[in-house]
Amino acid sequence: MRWLSGRGRRTVVLVAVGSTALALAACGADGVGGGADGEPEGREEMYQRVIEDPHPDPAEVIDAAGAPGDAVRADDGSLLLTYDAGNVEDDEGPAATAWRIVGPDGRTVAQHAEHADAEDIPPRFEAVRGGFVRVPPPGVADGAYALDVRGKRHKVVSSGTPLRSRPGDVLLAEPEPALIYRPSTRTVAPPAGLPDDAVRIAVDERGTVWSLDQPLSDDPNRLVWQRDGRTLGSTTVPEPFLGGVVAARGGTAALSLIRDEGVRGLLVTTDDGEHWRTVLAGGIAWTELKPDPDALVLELLTDGRLLVGEESGRYWLADDRTNSAFHELRTPARFTSFTVAGTTLYGIADATTATYDLVKGEGVWTSRDGGRQWRRVGGVPR
């Protein structure tokens, strides 16, 4: 389950290989339809038909998309995969989205598809206790709903009253507005006590809210951590850096350090903020990262190791939980999404824009040994 902050990017969190292999193998439905002349329907014909259908079939949307864009795991091992098929010729026009819930045994439990517009942001979900919650569209507080592991939809209450964070709370959106979700009451609300200039947020499994305070004045950036609405501590971002992406889990927290519009290092603690260390080398080719700091992938394994990289780019994994030295991962395909579940690495290879064809290595890949060996999960999409 992902407890870390999102930044509007697609993120994948998956289950163990055994059930996921069955789940994804079933995602490419058999039975491609025929064309009007009786010839087998090609991918382009099928794709166009699916996105223009006002009531698309979930299996056909999944087949057209080729690979999931996002996947999250509930606490019982159920997996929710989301798919998006957009207009290939233009950034306007028809589109289709779908989600599928797969149980721990690898069997499809529920699925749903909707006709959409290519300009719409595809639905995104977070895993929570007992199921999943739909993330509100950017910039709004409404629009969330919950799905249990059987696919039944439940109402979510949107509240303007800030919630004092506690264990089990999940960060849904940040930074404008910052929202957390409380599964016990199915409530979405802003977290209480955030600094006025908070621009980046992470919520760990203990309910600690880690936020980057970035004032408009010349005052330095600060990383602040709070729980139950009370400030537990703060640290100043070292000059000449600005703060970027925040990640936190199990007493370890990390903040990317930005200079000259690029990520140049990390600020790291492994003891709940008692001591901090800057990592400006460590084997990571910081100067070769893309100039967009928001493209940074920063994730924590359950053993305390950090994963650092960039979307559709290169990735480095810490050698141990001190997070002082990293080694570059060799991946079998170019991953558009990359994350961790426990100590297992997962990546999705997919097209970055809508296309009729599949990209090389398209699908889900997993590694249980720190990226030394990879295996394709499930069948190869058509």
Side-chain angles (χ1 to χ4, degrees):
M1 185 179 299
R2 186 169 70 95
W3 300 95
L4 306 182
S5 63
R7 303 182 306 284
R9 64 177 175 86
R10 296 186 303 178
T11 304
V12 55
V13 181
L14 302 177
V15 294
V17 171
S19 61
T20 307
L22 294 173
L24 295 184
C27 290
D30 294 331
V32 177
D37 57 0
E39 293 296 322
E41 185 180 39
R43 282 197 59 86
E44 182 173 344
E45 292 175 296
M46 180 266 291
Y47 196 104
Q48 286 291 341
R49 176 175 56 79
V50 168
I51 67 174
E52 292 172 0
D53 190 340
H55 304 288
D57 178 75
E60 291 193 326
V61 175
I62 290 168
D63 200 22
D70 198 13
V72 289
R73 187 185 71 179
D75 53 350
D76 77 331
S78 295
L79 183 70
L80 185 147
L81 304 102
T82 53
Y83 298 82
D84 176 47
N87 193 356
V88 174
E89 281 80 14
D90 200 348
D91 57 1
E92 299 178 349
T97 64
W99 56 258
R100 171 176 280 171
I101 296 177
V102 180
D105 60 357
R107 299 185 180 184
T108 297
V109 174
Q111 57 188 13
H112 174 76
E114 294 182 0
H115 182 67
D117 190 281
E119 294 181 307
D120 297 338
I121 297 176
R124 187 169 65 87
F125 292 83
E126 288 288 350
V128 297
R129 188 174 67 249
F132 315 92
V133 61
R134 205 279 204 183
V135 178
V140 299
D142 297 324
Y145 60 84
L147 292 172
D148 61 28
V149 293
R150 305 303 300 176
K152 183 179 179 180
R153 184 165 169 167
H154 299 271
K155 182 180 179 180
V156 167
V157 176
S158 179
S159 173
T161 303
L163 289 175
R164 293 178 177 270
S165 61
R166 65 189 190 194
D169 288 347
V170 177
L171 180 68
L172 282 192
E174 56 94 23
E176 295 179 0
L179 298 171
I180 59 174
Y181 175 73
R182 181 157 295 166
S184 60
T185 59
R186 292 199 178 113
T187 301
V188 172
L194 281 182
D196 293 337
D197 296 316
V199 295
R200 297 292 189 195
I201 301 169
V203 180
D204 66 22
E205 76 284 357
R206 298 172 299 178
T208 305
V209 179
W210 302 76
S211 60
L212 173 65
D213 184 22
Q214 196 171 75
L216 297 176
S217 65
D218 292 333
D219 293 338
N221 290 189
R222 292 188 311 139
L223 187 62
V224 182
W225 52 103
Q226 303 164 299
R227 190 181 303 142
D228 195 28
R230 297 180 296 106
T231 298
L232 303 178
S234 68
T235 189
T236 300
V237 177
E239 295 183 352
F241 300 104
L242 298 176
V245 179
V246 185
R249 185 172 189 169
T252 296
L255 172 72
S256 63
L257 299 175
I258 300 172
R259 184 181 183 186
D260 299 328
E261 300 183 351
V263 178
R264 295 295 180 263
L266 298 172
L267 182 64
V268 179
T269 180
T270 58
D271 55 8
D272 290 307
E274 290 293 327
H275 304 89
W276 291 87
R277 182 182 70 257
T278 56
V279 179
L280 304 180
I284 300 176
W286 298 108
T287 58
E288 297 179 21
L289 296 180
K290 297 174 183 176
D292 180 11
D294 286 341
L296 185 76
V297 175
L298 186 62
E299 300 279 2
L300 271 163
L301 283 67
T302 51
D303 60 11
R305 289 181 295 164
L306 276 165
L307 172 74
V308 182
E310 58 184 355
E311 297 172 0
S312 300
R314 301 163 66 184
Y315 299 90
W316 291 264
L317 180 65
D319 295 337
D320 54 50
R321 72 179 311 274
T322 65
N323 295 304
S324 56
F326 294 74
H327 61 273
E328 185 171 359
L329 298 178
R330 296 182 61 186
T331 60
R334 189 174 184 180
F335 294 150
T336 49
S337 298
F338 198 146
T339 193
V340 302
T343 57
T344 304
L345 310 179
Y346 297 94
I348 284 181
D350 196 5
T352 55
T353 58
T355 176
Y356 299 126
D357 299 320
L358 303 176
V359 300
K360 183 179 180 181
E362 182 153 347
V364 182
W365 296 81
T366 182
S367 173
R368 289 185 168 184
D369 58 4
R372 287 184 290 274
Q373 293 182 324
W374 294 88
R375 62 171 293 182
R376 179 86 65 92
V377 179
V380 179
R382 285 188 284 113

